[in-house]
Amino acid sequence: MCGVFGYVGDPVDLGDRLLSGLQTLEYRGYDSWGIALARDQAIAVDKRIGRIAGVSTALSGSDIGFGHTRWATHGGVTEPNAHPHLDCSGRLAIVHNGIIENHRDLRAELLARGHAFRSATDSEVVAHLLEEQVGQGRNLASAVANVFARLQGLNAIVAMDVVSRQLVATKHVSPLVAGSVDRGAYIASDALALRPHLDQVVYLEDGQLALMDRAGLRVVDRATLQWIEPARVTLDRNLDDARLGDHPHFMAKEMAEQPAVLERLVIHQRPQIEAMAEAVGSTPTTLIGCGTALNAALTGRYLFARIAGAGVDVVAASEFASFAPLLRPDGMVLALSQSGETVDVLEAVKAAESYGARLGAIVNTPHSSLDRLVDLRVLLGAGPEQCVLATKSYTAKVATLLLLAHAVRGSYAEGAALVVRAAEALARMLEPGSVAEIQQLANRIHSSDHLFVIGRGLAYPSALEAALKIKEVSYIHAEGFASGELKHGVIALVSDGTPCLVYAPADETRADVLSGAAELKSRGAFIVGIGPEPDPIFDIHLAVPETGDASPIVNALPAQLLGYHTALLRGNDPDRPRNLAKSVTVK
Ligand code: G6P
């Protein structure tokens, strides 16, 4: 989490440039922000609590500076804890993403040697350790290399020296991407922030160190400081897909993009899906992911069983370490991730690699760490997803898994037809009349404290995903359950008027799910049925077109819309829900 953006080069209106770069990265963390830039031989700093949108800074022209948008781990959300952090002399500043696991020992050591700390963060130790190294006559590159060797954990740091006019950056797992311009360079946590400025970028690898000054970007090996010719990647500079356009929020934009994303996916991703099907079809496969990606993986498990008659395992990436030793030598681990940067996913993939498993990914972000780690990938091609809540990446992952299961069975065209049918259904469900029904429902439930969602079979993971979507954006306590599990405890939570969403697809589970709905209703629940057909048990029926095994795709949209409109009624920002971040790069 945390976003980093920096520049060195010809003098520009840097305060504004840093703010607009950070704003692009705000999805990574948005509790506070800070920028620092050189004023002659001193460093000027502006740090604030809260969002960047709409703010301005008195810091203006400079030739070198950087900024940071924070998701607090160590130390509360305060201005002193916001980055950048300076050394005692005011010559050096740092920004950091990650967790320095041994920060307590390092801080104690530095305090004993007389350093004065201004924050409660783990990050500030880096500034003081660098101060000692530079004080001993080392240049910034070797100082950063030495200091980084002392840090435990998964970290990315960028250091600025106003004397040498350099930025130096290095990382372990946490992402950094940089590139040269005429007489200068940029660095950021995500290429999205660099797209307005650069045509080509370098994704920094672990063990590399980026040195940036008016000569541009150079990359060296962190251990030897020997120069490396890094791989350069050309960026797609079409910025339109990253802009909000006429939409009120990124969540609205990304929900609306789903039909087009799915229609593209069916055609463009076919070769990648068929290549992956060859591997998955002949190999015991474990799907891993976190959050929404885990719900997509669980859906995939049902799709594989139904369509391909094949069993796949599903494990939360954060829990994978317990199962990695059970991987068979011919096994495959298929990681699902929008960002390709979720640290638990990356760790799990590395663990799988150490046990000799074949590595695959279904990932949205090209050139992300996950994309670079695996042998086989399907790129979702859904375009940047900037709302913290995953919407289009979820339906694209589910569609990919459906197509993959069909490809394993040798019936890709059948799967493609289903996905296209689901895309058309989503387009109809996004029309104002259908959305108005959901707005009315949001009016009915927005002051509820609890909400439950049930589903069975293929609709069970849809219930988990619906509850996740609603709770993370509305802050209503929402839980998804397998409808058969109701009687084993959950039903004790239902009382008069409790809203319960019931997924009732037109498949073999419908009768049993309706029995569950009846049991809820007789305890006073307010039943919202989601499915192709109405039923007298429903207090409200949200009609979704019949799409067969593509039902998890269409089932996702009512919950996305309900979460969105409920959030608006409760005064929440749908794009930046409290306490969350889009890219979870810490454990
Ligand atoms: C965060 C996001 C979720 C996302 C999860 C996994 O929690 O807020 O929306 O599902 O991370 O992210 P990934 O990028 O790996 O899909």
Side-chain angles (χ1 to χ4, degrees):
M1 347 205 44
C2 301
V4 171
F5 182 79
Y7 167 81
V8 54
D10 284 343
V12 292
D13 192 359
L14 192 52
D16 282 351
R17 191 167 296 191
L18 294 177
L19 284 189
S20 70
L22 286 183
Q23 212 168 325
T24 326
L25 299 171
E26 211 181 18
Y27 71 87
R28 302 179 69 85
Y30 37 85
D31 55 44
S32 51
W33 59 268
I35 59 175
L37 48 78
R39 272 213 185 123
D40 299 326
Q41 295 293 298
I43 298 177
V45 177
D46 187 359
K47 298 185 190 190
R48 316 257 185 98
I49 291 171
R51 301 279 308 272
I52 302 174
V55 302
S56 59
T57 177
L59 299 186
S60 53
S62 181
D63 59 323
I64 182 167
F66 56 19
H68 183 272
T69 174
R70 181 169 186 243
W71 189 85
T73 57
H74 292 65
V77 181
T78 64
E79 277 178 16
N81 288 343
H83 300 215
H85 296 289
L86 270 56
D87 72 335
C88 298
S89 72
R91 168 182 172 172
L92 303 164
I94 66 98
V95 287
H96 165 233
N97 177 18
I99 293 176
I100 299 167
E101 289 166 5
N102 55 335
H103 73 102
R104 278 200 198 91
D105 294 347
L106 295 171
R107 178 183 275 251
E109 204 183 275
L110 287 158
L111 283 169
R113 292 200 291 267
H115 290 272
F117 278 76
R118 300 182 192 91
S119 78
T121 62
D122 55 337
S123 314
E124 194 182 341
V125 296
V126 176
H128 299 288
L129 288 169
L130 282 175
E131 179 185 356
E132 293 186 344
Q133 293 281 320
V134 171
Q136 288 158 14
R138 293 196 176 79
N139 62 35
L140 190 62
S142 72
V144 168
N146 288 345
V147 169
F148 202 77
R150 298 210 55 202
L151 308 182
Q152 289 168 10
L154 313 177
N155 296 294
I157 59 172
V158 187
M160 169 168 76
D161 176 9
V162 278
V163 173
S164 65
R165 283 328 217 220
Q166 283 180 324
L167 295 174
V168 170
T170 195
K171 58 158 287 228
H172 179 57
V173 180
S174 277
L176 282 174
V177 51
S180 296
V181 286
D182 261 1
R183 296 186 303 276
Y186 283 92
I187 184 151
S189 312
D190 184 334
L192 206 56
L194 301 181
R195 278 167 48 163
H197 307 290
L198 298 176
D199 291 316
Q200 279 199 326
V201 295
V202 169
Y203 287 85
L204 212 59
E205 299 293 348
D206 291 352
Q208 297 180 343
L209 190 139
L211 181 61
M212 291 155 285
D213 53 23
R214 286 174 64 88
L217 164 73
R218 278 155 293 159
V219 177
V220 298
D221 181 282
R222 194 168 62 224
T224 63
L225 299 184
Q226 294 297 306
W227 187 75
I228 296 170
E229 181 58 56
R232 284 171 210 279
V233 172
T234 301
L235 286 181
D236 172 7
R237 294 195 68 191
N238 171 14
L239 301 175
D240 288 347
D241 58 353
R243 289 196 182 119
L244 195 50
D246 294 335
H247 299 276
H249 298 101
F250 280 106
M251 187 171 178
K253 170 180 182 273
E254 289 156 10
M255 287 190 293
E257 286 173 343
Q258 293 179 101
V261 166
L262 297 180
E263 277 168 13
R264 277 203 309 267
L265 186 134
V266 162
I267 299 165
H268 297 308
Q269 268 60 5
R270 181 171 185 164
Q272 292 179 350
I273 291 172
E274 289 189 328
M276 190 171 279
E278 264 187 48
V280 171
S282 56
T283 310
T285 299
T286 306
L287 305 180
I288 60 166
C290 297
T292 295
L294 177 61
N295 290 336
L298 288 166
T299 308
R301 184 182 204 180
Y302 283 88
L303 290 170
F304 268 78
R306 288 169 81 88
I307 298 165
V312 293
D313 272 347
V314 177
V315 183
S318 55
E319 291 296 319
F320 183 71
S322 300
F323 304 102
L326 308 182
L327 281 173
R328 293 201 354 214
D330 61 339
M332 168 146 186
V333 168
L334 184 50
L336 275 64
S337 175
Q338 189 288 127
S339 61
E341 300 296 351
T342 303
V343 76
D344 285 326
V345 174
L346 300 178
E347 290 265 287
V349 168
K350 286 180 181 165
E353 188 177 31
S354 72
Y355 284 97
R358 192 146 188 217
L359 307 178
I362 297 176
V363 56
N364 192 38
T365 310
H367 314 297
S368 55
S369 302
L370 179 62
D371 181 23
R372 303 202 307 277
L373 264 177
V374 297
D375 318 313
L376 265 178
R377 84 258 310 134
V378 176
L379 288 167
L380 295 173
E385 191 180 64
Q386 294 183 69
C387 173
V388 164
L389 279 78
T391 53
K392 61 177 177 174
S393 67
Y394 172 73
T395 45
K397 279 179 204 138
V398 171
T400 301
L401 289 163
L402 182 138
L403 293 166
L404 191 58
H406 270 287
V408 166
R409 197 181 78 182
S411 53
Y412 186 91
E414 202 181 309
L418 278 179
V419 173
V420 170
R421 185 154 28 122
E424 289 164 357
L426 289 179
R428 290 199 296 283
M429 292 161 70
L430 283 159
E431 283 171 8
S434 308
V435 173
E437 280 178 37
I438 293 181
Q439 279 171 313
Q440 279 168 18
L441 177 59
N443 266 316
R444 165 72 178 71
I445 63 138
H446 78 274
S447 49
S448 304
D449 295 324
H450 307 279
L451 178 149
F452 300 105
V453 194
I454 61 166
R456 197 178 178 102
L458 189 53
Y460 165 47
S462 299
L464 297 178
E465 172 59 8
L468 178 61
K469 233 41 347 152
I470 292 166
K471 83 179 105 178
E472 63 184 342
V473 72
S474 71
Y475 318 149
I476 294 174
H477 169 234
E479 296 297 337
F481 296 101
S483 70
E485 287 297 299
L486 268 180
K487 295 177 283 299
H488 304 295
V490 188
I491 205 150
L493 302 173
V494 173
S495 61
D496 233 13
T498 307
C500 293
L501 309 192
V502 175
Y503 279 113
D507 65 13
E508 69 288 351
T509 64
R510 183 174 164 91
D512 286 340
V513 169
L514 290 179
S515 303
E519 289 154 14
L520 291 169
K521 187 149 184 167
S522 52
R523 271 93 188 160
F526 173 73
I527 305 289
V528 179
I530 305 174
E533 296 297 330
D535 189 90
I537 205 94
F538 300 155
D539 294 299
I540 288 186
H541 174 220
L542 299 178
V544 298
E546 159 55 8
T547 52
D549 284 344
S551 62
I553 298 173
V554 293
N555 279 343
L557 184 60
Q560 295 171 354
L561 287 167
L562 186 60
Y564 176 72
H565 287 289
T566 308
L568 295 183
L569 288 168
R570 291 170 68 107
N572 303 344
D573 178 349
D575 288 342
R576 304 280 179 263
R578 70 182 181 205
N579 302 340
L580 298 178
K582 180 113 190 113
S583 194
V584 181
T585 57
V586 293
K587 285 208 192 185

